[in-house]
Amino acid sequence: MTRRNKLIILCVYLLILAIALPLYRLKRSSADKRLQAEISTSKNEIAKINAASKEMEKLSRLFPAEAGTASFIEDLYAAAQQSKVTSHDASTEITASRPTSRGVSQDNELSRFRFMVTIEGSYRSIAEYIRRVQNIERFKRIVDIKLASGKQGVTGNLSLELFALKGQNAR
């Protein structure tokens, strides 16, 4: 090989490198951008899953699979003690459960438990009791409130409903 041939081969080699290297970098940068986009999409999906998980936790506290009526009654008595009502009595009533929507099987029902609460105290303590009952972290509904003047202030009768899911999907 002559010196001239070596120089031509070297120039061709450098020319190929001059073309191939930017093409390689361009391909590499587009692949990097694509991977960064996939990573960003994955992070967004993970954030959505985490948010949905937190929402499911909250809903499972609001609508537990088991009613937990005993713990709810304990919460009612704790609310009565903290609000300083003079007299408090809570009892349960048996009510039929109702389906959540039409066409849903009987396995997925919303059970309703009814409570009757009788309280006596000052108007302020009864109002505080109702506020505390509303803040109990369960899905419940105050159906009826009746207040009347009593021996030591105000007497009240409350009807409460507590809800729970039952069935295979509620676990």
Side-chain angles (χ1 to χ4, degrees), residues 37-151:
E38 286 180 14
I39 288 171
S40 175
T41 303
S42 297
K43 285 181 181 179
N44 289 339
E45 288 176 9
I46 289 172
K48 287 178 185 178
I49 290 170
N50 287 339
S53 174
K54 287 179 183 177
E55 184 68 20
M56 288 301 294
E57 270 184 44
K58 181 180 176 184
L59 287 174
S60 67
R61 283 193 306 268
L62 292 176
F63 293 103
E66 296 179 8
T69 56
S71 65
F72 184 69
I73 288 178
E74 287 175 5
D75 291 340
L76 291 177
Y77 276 101
Q81 185 179 21
Q82 293 167 351
S83 60
K84 297 182 173 101
V85 294
T86 55
S87 174
H88 179 267
D89 184 38
S91 60
T92 61
E93 281 184 16
I94 298 175
T95 58
S97 59
R98 60 180 183 200
T100 55
S101 64
R102 293 181 188 169
V104 176
S105 69
Q106 295 294 335
D107 290 339
N108 298 324
E109 286 185 348
L110 190 60
S111 298
R112 180 177 49 176
F113 300 89
R114 189 169 210 142
F115 295 89
M116 299 302 292
V117 178
T118 305
I119 54 176
E120 187 173 335
S122 68
Y123 180 79
R124 183 176 299 269
S125 64
I126 291 176
E128 175 67 16
Y129 173 78
I130 292 172
R131 185 189 68 77
R132 288 182 184 275
V133 168
Q134 288 175 336
N135 289 335
I136 295 173
E137 192 173 1
R138 286 288 306 267
F139 190 77
K140 73 266 172 221
R141 181 173 72 154
I142 298 176
V143 179
D144 188 28
I145 299 175
K146 293 180 184 172
L147 297 176
S149 61
K151 298 175 189 173

